[in-house]
Amino acid sequence: MDILLESPKSEVQSPMSSIQSQGVPGTPVLRLEGVARDFTDGRVVRRVLKETTLDILPGEMTVLAGPSGSGKTTLLTIMGLVLKPSAGRIIVGGEDVTGFSEDRLASLRRQHYGFVFQQAALIPALDVLDNVLVGTAIQGGRVSARTREKALELLSGLGLKDYLSSRPQQLSTGQQQRAGIARALVSDPILLLCDEPTSALDVESGRIVLDTLKRLSRDPRRGVVLVTHDPRVFPYADRLLKMEDGAIVYDTRSAPTGGN
Amino acid sequence: MLLHDRSTTAGAVLGVVAIVFLVGQQLAVMFGLFTLMSALVDNSGADIWILSQNSNNTSTAGDLPARYVDRLAGLADIEWAQPVIYSGAQLKLPSGRSQSVQIVGTTRPALEGGPWRMAAGSSDVLLEYDGATVDKLDLADLGNPKVGQVVEVNGKRIRIAGYTEGSRAFGPTVVFVNSTKAREITGISADRCTNILVKLKPGVDIRRVRAEIRELLPKASVLTVSELAWNIRVYNFTNTGIGSSFGFSTIIGILVGVVIITLTMYTNVLNRQRDFAVLRALGARRRDVFAIILFQALTIGAIGLLIGFFLLAGFLFGVKGSRLPANLPLWLPPAHALLTFLLCFLGSVLALRRALKIEPASAFR
Ligand SMILES: Nc1ncnc2c1ncn2[C@@H]1O[C@H](COP(=O)(O)OP(=O)(O)O)[C@@H](O)[C@H]1O
Ligand SMILES: [Mg+2]
């Protein structure tokens, strides 16, 4: 059954029923098979991401660490269906989406993915509540009362109840990032992808954000991937992957005796 | 959804207001001038005008035998036919300088083709030998003559006997007199005139009568009032600077507006690249980005139209009854609105092209 292609109309009923039924711990929400990515610098083709095979499991926090330039963002954006791999296959919820059209991938992202960016990347022209709802409205659909309620719930859960109609600029960077997390969660994604979400934050705000993400990763239906170059994030990892030069060189899963 | 922040929206709206107001104002004045150009013809009360041979508008017309009027008497469908004299002349101002005027000599006692709107009293003052009327709006040009004052035109004395109100035309100041006085002023002899005005009986087919008159008067030019009015406008539009001047300023208005819209929309997309990338990452398809930009352009267009039309209405109200002619035909505002939306779309094309190129992956860079 092709649940991933369901229109927003049927989303009302139970959009992720099939994915949820696969969201049993141990069954990957996302699988990359031999995925690689080349970039061309002038005439030189560089393999920025070497062939990588990887499962992302629900109910755990996967931390992807590595020095700047090692290919973390490249890998994350491939997971996020935002960047096309030069080789390999991407399987989401059991379905191979590698050959999907741009539009179908966009719809997939809208329905099943949550993104948290390095800087919150809120839209300055919209207030906080609209920023959280923007993803649901982005394909021209109406925002249902249920979604609105969910957004309010998330925002107050993240301590932003009093900022619903504030502009992002009026918020601290930590608050902005929490609003960004609310935006990522409002569609109840099966996969939450975060690229250095704490690097722009002070220690205390960073800790709040990390605690929040950690809590979210305990949901057995959802996988969380967090990219970082900050070793202070490592303790939050259920699974730690280390990247160097476009390859995963270390995975706590295959080396269960521990990292550093 | 508006991604514009307020200042860029305001900038683009300003562009639209520029288009709507500048272009609308230019067009209103142009149409006002059009009305003025053919005012003497449109308000003559006649259906058909007879001009000298080979002339298709009053500016190029010579004179005609006045006895043509008698020849028309045989046509049953004609209610009346009257000779009229139109001619340029020089009016002597109190300062001693002279002022170009347009003499309109209407035939007594009917005074057809005479003034159509008086400020006070009746046009019957033209029945008197030296009676003349001038328009209130032109008084300053004529040295503010009082009613009863005698002035000289081409060295002949006329007496200002009344003021008209809005009985004006394009070009030199109109002075209405009777045809006897007009002949005295212009030297046109009693057996000649410059035009013959013809009024048809109600319900008569104007084209048929025009054909009959053409047959009857092969050495004259016979035109319906609407044909003549059109010819006069075309002539003046192309033979004076009006066409190029108004065309130029209208095009400038449009260009300024499009450039402002293009720049603000484009700059906005450039400044908001990250926002668009984020939206794409969150699941916006290219067509959704297209819709956002289009919606933005149309919103800007709508706000700009509202303000622009408001200003335009103010302008029209302000110049009403003044020497600056301005009027908008009913079809113009909708056409203008359509054009404005089209230009808004045009102005957003560049922004659109840029926005559609933004890759979702760039949200992570
Ligand atoms: N669009 C691109 N075009 C060319 N090179 C790129 C592009 N994106 C990333 N790279 C290169 O790929 C390498 C890995 O980048 P990235 O995935 O952003 O690393 P990280 O997130 O670990 O810092 C870098 O050397 C970077 O310059
Ligand atoms: Mg990175």
Side-chain angles (χ1 to χ4, degrees):
Chain A
M1 185 173 107
D2 194 0
I3 44 88
L4 297 174
L5 305 178
E6 277 178 354
S7 65
K9 208 168 30 185
S10 50
E11 182 191 28
V12 181
Q13 293 144 21
S14 184
M16 289 169 288
S17 53
S18 178
I19 288 179
Q20 278 167 19
S21 70
Q22 295 165 13
V24 182
T27 310
V29 284
L30 175 79
R31 181 172 165 74
L32 303 180
E33 282 181 13
V35 158
R37 172 72 201 206
D38 302 327
F39 278 120
T40 328
D41 276 338
R43 281 196 201 141
V44 193
V45 177
R46 272 201 309 142
R47 178 140 291 197
V48 162
L49 179 67
K50 302 193 175 113
E51 287 193 16
T52 301
T53 296
L54 182 67
D55 283 337
I56 301 299
L57 297 180
E60 67 178 27
M61 169 101 102
T62 303
V63 171
L64 182 59
S68 179
S70 56
K72 306 182 296 293
T73 297
T74 304
L75 181 56
L76 188 84
T77 47
I78 288 175
M79 290 184 195
L81 311 178
V82 158
L83 187 71
K84 287 241 176 220
S86 308
R89 301 200 306 140
I90 307 172
I91 293 115
V92 179
E95 180 160 13
D96 188 339
V97 303
T98 319
F100 273 28
S101 72
E102 245 188 45
D103 282 2
R104 284 172 83 186
L105 291 176
S107 298
L108 256 179
R109 292 198 296 274
R110 190 180 74 85
Q111 290 181 43
H112 301 300
Y113 274 62
F115 293 100
V116 178
F117 303 87
Q118 184 165 358
Q119 266 118 14
L122 301 173
I123 290 160
L126 303 177
D127 68 23
V128 169
L129 181 59
D130 282 345
N131 260 291
V132 172
L133 292 170
V134 76
T136 26
I138 199 79
Q139 289 194 3
R142 275 187 173 280
V143 177
S144 69
R146 224 190 61 194
T147 309
R148 184 169 289 270
E149 224 165 86
K150 166 122 192 173
L152 294 173
E153 215 172 90
L154 283 167
L155 282 169
S156 57
L158 289 164
L160 294 170
K161 198 173 61 194
D162 299 331
Y163 298 91
L164 300 180
S165 46
S166 305
R167 297 279 158 149
Q169 313 78 278
Q170 297 169 295
L171 270 52
S172 72
T173 46
Q175 288 170 323
Q176 287 178 20
Q177 195 53 288
R178 278 181 273 147
I181 291 172
R183 174 177 66 187
L185 288 174
V186 76
S187 63
D188 217 348
I190 55 165
L191 195 55
L192 185 59
L193 302 175
C194 318
D195 195 3
E196 316 235 12
T198 57
S199 66
L201 305 183
D202 59 76
V203 176
E204 177 58 15
S205 320
R207 199 184 50 73
I208 296 172
V209 165
L210 286 171
D211 286 342
T212 307
L213 292 173
K214 180 73 184 173
R215 189 157 39 79
L216 292 166
S217 71
R218 298 220 179 88
D219 188 331
R221 295 163 304 172
R222 178 183 300 131
V224 176
V225 179
L226 196 155
V227 161
T228 188
H229 66 266
D230 181 0
R232 282 177 297 186
V233 178
F234 296 176
Y236 288 86
D238 296 310
R239 177 189 184 188
L240 181 63
L241 302 168
K242 286 193 178 169
M243 275 193 96
E244 257 168 45
D245 265 343
I248 294 175
V249 293
Y250 177 81
D251 182 351
T252 43
R253 168 90 34 81
S254 45
T257 38
N260 28 335
Chain B
M1 178 177 34
L2 279 176
L3 293 188
H4 262 152
D5 45 53
R6 264 176 224 154
S7 58
T8 39
T9 309
V13 164
L14 205 71
V16 181
V17 172
I19 293 182
V20 174
F21 182 69
L22 290 180
V23 173
Q25 179 234 16
Q26 288 297 316
L27 290 176
V29 171
M30 195 176 78
F31 279 99
L33 286 175
F34 278 161
T35 306
L36 213 52
M37 284 173 192
S38 59
L40 285 173
V41 172
D42 292 328
N43 294 292
S44 64
D47 297 312
I48 287 176
W49 275 50
I50 299 170
L51 293 79
S52 64
Q53 197 167 18
N54 299 328
S55 53
N56 75 345
N57 77 79
T58 44
S59 299
T60 59
D63 61 351
L64 287 168
R67 67 188 143 75
Y68 278 1
V69 174
D70 304 327
R71 286 208 213 163
L72 297 174
L75 294 178
D77 294 327
I78 290 182
E79 183 144 340
W80 52 255
Q82 293 268 304
V84 190
I85 289 166
Y86 291 90
S87 180
Q90 295 294 319
L91 182 142
K92 196 168 165 196
L93 296 173
S95 65
R97 290 201 317 203
S98 54
Q99 161 81 32
S100 287
V101 294
Q102 160 95 22
I103 294 292
V104 178
T106 161
T107 304
R108 290 181 283 183
L111 302 177
E112 301 296 355
W116 54 93
R117 200 162 156 226
M118 297 295 292
S122 140
S123 58
D124 284 352
V125 293
L126 297 181
L127 293 173
E128 296 156 29
Y129 160 71
D130 57 354
T133 67
V134 292
D135 201 83
K136 270 173 86 172
L137 289 174
D138 297 326
L139 287 177
D141 283 351
L142 301 172
N144 292 308
K146 300 267 173 316
V147 169
Q149 190 171 329
V150 171
V151 291
E152 266 183 31
V153 180
N154 281 8
K156 313 290 179 201
R157 292 152 66 92
I158 59 169
R159 184 174 46 83
I160 305 299
Y163 298 146
T164 59
E165 188 169 353
S167 293
R168 312 170 64 232
F170 180 70
T173 309
V174 172
V175 177
F176 288 99
V177 292
N178 62 52
S179 57
T180 315
K181 191 67 182 175
R183 288 199 162 86
E184 200 185 313
I185 292 169
T186 60
I188 293 173
S189 60
D191 60 344
R192 312 283 299 173
C193 63
T194 56
N195 303 87
I196 295 168
L197 311 189
V198 179
K199 173 78 180 173
L200 306 186
K201 289 190 172 149
V204 170
D205 179 7
I206 190 166
R207 292 175 176 278
R208 181 173 54 75
V209 180
R210 185 189 57 183
E212 285 172 12
I213 300 176
R214 278 179 179 169
E215 210 165 298
L216 209 57
L217 306 173
K219 289 192 168 170
S221 179
V222 183
L223 297 169
T224 66
V225 158
S226 53
E227 285 169 343
L228 181 58
W230 175 256
N231 291 349
I232 292 171
R233 289 172 188 178
V234 170
Y235 177 85
N236 282 306
F237 194 70
T238 50
N239 283 280
T240 66
I242 290 176
S244 42
S245 133
F246 277 88
F248 185 72
S249 38
T250 303
I251 288 169
I252 290 291
I254 290 176
L255 280 183
V256 166
V258 172
V259 167
I260 294 177
I261 294 173
T262 303
L263 283 180
T264 45
M265 294 283 291
Y266 187 72
T267 318
N268 183 60
V269 169
L270 281 187
N271 292 339
R272 298 266 156 270
Q273 288 198 75
R274 184 93 200 280
D275 292 352
F276 280 106
V278 167
L279 287 178
R280 292 274 277 124
L282 296 183
R285 299 157 298 184
R286 270 178 223 279
R287 76 181 88 137
D288 301 314
V289 171
F290 184 92
I292 289 170
I293 303 252
L294 195 66
F295 177 74
Q296 234 154 260
L298 295 186
T299 306
I300 288 163
I303 302 173
L305 263 179
L306 209 73
I307 301 175
F309 274 166
F310 191 75
L311 289 178
L312 204 53
F315 167 76
L316 288 175
F317 184 78
V319 301
K320 203 176 164 197
S322 81
R323 288 168 59 91
L324 185 65
N327 75 54
L328 283 178
L330 273 182
W331 57 267
L332 204 87
H336 196 25
L338 204 71
L339 174 86
T340 306
F341 280 121
L342 216 77
L343 295 177
C344 282
F345 180 71
L346 208 70
S348 57
V349 165
L350 218 60
L352 210 50
R353 281 185 44 152
R354 189 77 200 76
L356 291 178
K357 275 196 198 128
I358 297 171
E359 292 293 334
S362 59
F364 294 86
R365 297 275 153 215

